[in-house]
Amino acid sequence: MSAALLGLVLICCSSSATGAGTFLGGFIPDTSPFIAKKMKKIIQLIITGDAKPVDCANLYKYMKEIKGTSAAESAVQSLSENEKTIGERVYDIGREGVSPEKICDKSAIDSAIKLFKKVQKAPEGEDVLGFCNDLKDIGDESKDKKHPIYYWDESKKEFIRDREYMKNAFDGKSGPEFQEPIIAKCNEAGINIR
């Protein structure tokens, strides 16, 4: 009898230990450890993959799905400061009305930067009409669309403000000191890019 009782106790203890290990290991969906583990995995993909749009979309959608649950709030507390910041930036961009697939898509801003640089570097008298037309088209296409307020900086492995991203692209210049000469060149070519 005592051997049977001892066996039953061992089975119960090992079953409880397995359950606790499963919970703490983050294998049970909708628990704080599971949510933290999944968020960390997606955030790591963002960091190592330089914020691919699909990874940012996945993080935003997952954060939206779990928002408001006590398990999610607890899971966020277990993230590092850097992980929290990345999650906040992605969520903020999505909450501003940028579609999930466009949260980390820098193609429009990078195309505009390249065109700005071509106009900026064009020697006096060189035809910039094509570049200015392309800039105007980019501006017209994105006029009614929401744009991210943060962009991924590959060198820093973090999100930075949109104006800082532009400033970095143009060796620290921004605002009127940078824009006015480009706008003037395009105006001379007959294109208003404002």
Side-chain angles (χ1 to χ4, degrees):
M1 173 93 164
S2 65
L5 188 56
L6 181 62
L8 183 61
V9 168
L10 286 174
I11 290 172
C12 288
C13 288
S14 68
S15 172
S16 296
T18 302
T22 301
F23 176 80
L24 296 174
F27 299 111
I28 300 174
D30 299 327
T31 62
S32 180
F34 179 87
I35 292 170
K37 186 176 179 180
K38 186 168 181 175
M39 286 181 70
K40 284 176 177 280
K41 182 179 178 185
I42 298 170
I43 290 169
Q44 193 58 39
L45 288 172
I46 290 172
I47 293 169
T48 59
D50 282 330
K52 289 186 183 111
V54 67
D55 295 330
C56 293
N58 288 339
L59 180 61
Y60 175 74
K61 289 174 185 175
Y62 187 63
M63 290 178 72
K64 193 172 173 187
E65 176 187 321
I66 61 169
K67 185 182 183 321
T69 65
S70 59
E73 291 173 19
S74 177
V76 168
Q77 298 309 313
S78 71
L79 300 176
S80 71
E81 285 306 311
N82 186 42
E83 290 167 333
K84 285 179 190 176
T85 301
I86 290 170
E88 288 168 4
R89 298 290 189 255
V90 167
Y91 195 75
D92 287 347
I93 295 167
R95 206 175 51 200
E96 291 292 321
V98 175
S99 67
E101 298 75 28
K102 296 290 184 185
I103 289 173
C104 290
D105 183 359
K106 300 188 306 184
S107 60
I109 191 90
D110 287 345
S111 293
I113 287 170
K114 285 178 188 172
L115 289 167
F116 271 112
K117 285 182 176 184
K118 287 179 179 181
V119 173
Q120 182 185 37
K121 293 176 181 179
E124 196 63 38
E126 184 177 313
D127 184 19
V128 293
L129 181 65
F131 302 140
C132 294
N133 265 328
D134 290 346
L135 273 171
K136 183 173 178 13
D137 289 346
I138 289 173
D140 289 347
E141 287 173 13
S142 63
K143 205 172 259 182
D144 296 329
K145 295 178 184 173
K146 294 284 186 176
H147 300 283
I149 53 176
Y150 298 100
Y151 290 97
W152 184 258
D153 184 320
E154 286 88 1
S155 64
K156 294 180 181 179
K157 298 289 186 195
E158 66 182 13
F159 284 97
I160 58 174
R161 288 291 304 200
D162 50 0
R163 61 183 161 267
E164 187 180 341
Y165 186 78
M166 290 289 285
K167 198 173 181 180
N168 289 348
F170 296 105
D171 302 321
K173 291 182 181 176
S174 65
E177 73 172 311
F178 159 71
Q179 294 174 351
E180 293 307 321
I182 294 169
I183 291 169
K185 278 186 177 182
C186 286
N187 283 338
E188 286 174 20
I191 305 294
N192 181 3
I193 62 169
R194 283 193 191 256

